[in-house]
Amino acid sequence: MFWSGSAHSHEETTEWLSRVERITPVLARHREQAERERRTPVAVIDALREQNIHRMWVSPSFGGGGVSVRTGSAVLQALARVDASVAWQMGVQGVISRMSDYLPEQVAGELFAGCDGLVVGGINPTGQAEPVPGGYRLRGRWSYASGSTHADWLVCASVLPQPDPVTRMLFVPADAVRFDDDWDPLGLRGTGSVSFTVEDAFVPEEFTVEGALLRRPPAARASRGHPIAYYDFGPFTTASTALGIAQDALSAFPGIAVGAVPARGSEALNTSHTVQAGLARAAALVRSAELMLSDAANHASLRCAIGGEELSALIRLAAATVGENTVRAVDSLHSLAGTRSLAGGGRLDRCFRDVHSAVAHITLAPTNFEMVGAYLLGGSLLMRR
């Protein structure tokens, strides 16, 4: 069910945001630990599980919440205002859970209803899958597996060696992979986005999805969670996290600026016309990003079952705009605060680090403007040149 402006959708969003409120103290209490250890503590994941947030976008047929795109986006924004690393992992879980609508129902039930752990992995096709009777032999290495520390299953995007290479998504249990402790980034430190390797594993055919199918809406069936194409859904998760980070920066700034007098200065930051104008411009950037993302969600709710390049272009344009606006807003606030951006537990400084890490993702990258522009001039909508 997608948002259509109904009272029921508003009630749904309110109810799921209340779930975030219930666990906010747990998230805040373990945030610094996650930064130090570069992975989210088990206590946080347990709290998310108790509220079923890790399955919020999964069909109720497979134990999920079946929430709308708009509700899920609001949840990720709320999480990011507390801990962007948690929001990022729930976004990754959310988008990969969309493959439940492409997998055979029995397998989708085993992965998402039969297990409590995350289902994450690597969607960049850096593995190799060789067709064998009944399935595939899989080997390869994948990077940026956010949340993999808490995963029961991992998806491994791979290329099949054919005359015209094709991509396939293969799901393997976590005990079939070897993790490498290679995640030590500037921002989103708590995501545990390590690399992992599969040396040689057999994957049954039914535990795989043809990559080309993910560009189209999943086939209709009673258990379908959302009639939206996988690649049209993904940008809502990354953009929502970036937006929540920028919202947190806006919320943090007044507490830093009010009454703070710069070194060798005579006036508090909050009385400076330059600071006042800068804050208002940052707020405008964030507000416009919120409206762009909301508009894209509205279009998705109306047209997702049809899909097509026009909808994909609109969603990608919105996501790229969110990425650009949130970085500009956080950068501006960070600069206006000066060394005070490091104060108050480094909240604004953490926003700065997290948002720059978030927008490095392909769904938020500036290259999307180029791809959408080429489409608007009559070309095909490419993922990247």
Side-chain angles (χ1 to χ4, degrees):
M1 177 184 64
F2 283 76
W3 182 84
S4 60
S6 67
H8 177 78
S9 277
H10 177 73
E11 291 171 0
E12 176 194 78
T13 301
T14 300
E15 196 277 320
W16 280 82
L17 287 177
S18 71
R19 299 188 185 206
V20 176
E21 291 179 6
R22 288 174 208 149
I23 64 173
T24 291
V26 178
L27 271 58
R29 187 162 60 248
H30 290 88
R31 187 172 52 211
E32 296 305 320
Q33 179 185 351
E35 286 264 313
R36 292 192 307 272
E37 297 179 354
R38 296 170 291 117
R39 66 186 66 187
T40 297
V42 172
V44 173
I45 300 298
D46 286 345
L48 293 162
R49 285 174 178 151
E50 288 174 7
Q51 301 301 323
N52 210 27
I53 290 175
H54 70 314
R55 296 284 192 267
M56 64 178 174
W57 269 316
V58 175
S59 168
S61 298
F62 307 129
V67 304
S68 65
V69 170
R70 178 178 285 270
T71 292
S73 174
V75 168
L76 293 184
Q77 291 173 52
L79 289 172
R81 291 193 293 269
V82 183
D83 188 336
S85 290
V86 169
W88 189 266
Q89 290 170 90
M90 292 301 98
V92 169
Q93 171 66 106
V95 69
I96 291 180
S97 74
R98 297 298 349 106
M99 293 192 204
S100 62
D101 284 337
Y102 296 87
L103 288 163
E105 289 181 306
Q106 181 178 351
V107 175
E110 181 175 345
L111 267 60
F112 295 97
C115 299
D116 288 332
L118 303 188
V119 183
V120 292
I123 60 170
N124 188 26
T126 55
Q128 300 80 44
E130 177 186 355
V132 297
Y136 303 88
R137 299 303 309 186
L138 172 68
R139 60 182 59 84
R141 187 173 188 270
W142 295 263
S143 299
Y144 308 117
S146 302
S148 57
T149 303
H150 308 287
D152 284 342
W153 291 86
L154 294 113
V155 64
C156 307
S158 303
V159 176
L160 273 63
Q162 298 180 353
D164 295 315
V166 296
T167 300
R168 202 159 195 92
M169 305 292 181
L170 301 90
F171 287 83
V172 300
D175 59 11
V177 314
R178 185 188 74 245
F179 295 107
D180 299 319
D181 186 11
D182 59 356
W183 180 247
D184 192 13
L186 178 71
L188 297 178
R189 289 181 59 82
T191 60
S193 303
V194 300
S195 300
F196 67 95
T197 301
V198 175
E199 298 292 351
D200 182 24
F202 171 74
V203 183
E205 172 75 30
E206 61 269 24
F207 281 78
T208 74
V209 175
E210 181 184 343
L213 294 177
L214 301 178
R215 299 188 182 278
R216 305 192 294 272
R221 66 188 188 190
S223 66
R224 186 173 68 176
H226 292 282
I228 185 171
Y230 170 88
Y231 285 113
D232 286 343
F233 184 89
F236 287 104
T237 66
T238 51
S240 298
T241 299
L243 193 49
I245 295 169
Q247 292 165 348
D248 185 38
L250 275 177
S251 177
F253 187 81
I256 295 172
V258 173
V261 178
R264 300 181 182 275
S266 59
E267 296 183 354
L269 283 177
N270 60 294
T271 64
S272 163
H273 293 173
T274 299
V275 171
Q276 292 166 355
L279 175 59
R281 288 192 174 95
L285 287 168
V286 174
R287 179 59 175 158
S288 61
E290 291 170 349
L291 293 173
M292 282 283 287
L293 193 60
S294 176
D295 177 69
N298 290 344
H299 280 277
S301 71
L302 295 173
R303 299 156 57 188
C304 60
I306 301 172
E309 289 190 339
E310 183 179 356
L311 177 61
S312 298
L314 185 150
I315 292 171
R316 288 172 61 179
L317 182 62
T321 301
V322 170
E324 184 174 273
N325 282 16
T326 53
V327 164
R328 287 174 60 193
V330 175
D331 281 0
S332 174
L333 295 171
H334 192 270
S335 177
L336 289 171
T339 56
R340 284 161 183 78
S341 64
L342 307 176
R347 181 176 167 191
L348 189 55
D349 193 56
R350 185 172 59 248
C351 289
F352 177 86
R353 292 185 286 107
D354 285 343
V355 79
H356 277 273
S357 294
V359 300
H361 196 274
I362 186 173
T363 54
L364 303 180
T367 53
N368 284 291
F369 288 115
E370 179 187 346
M371 301 303 104
V372 173
Y375 166 74
L376 294 175
L377 289 170
S380 297
L381 183 63
L382 302 177
M383 184 66 69
R384 182 169 282 187
R385 292 192 198 279

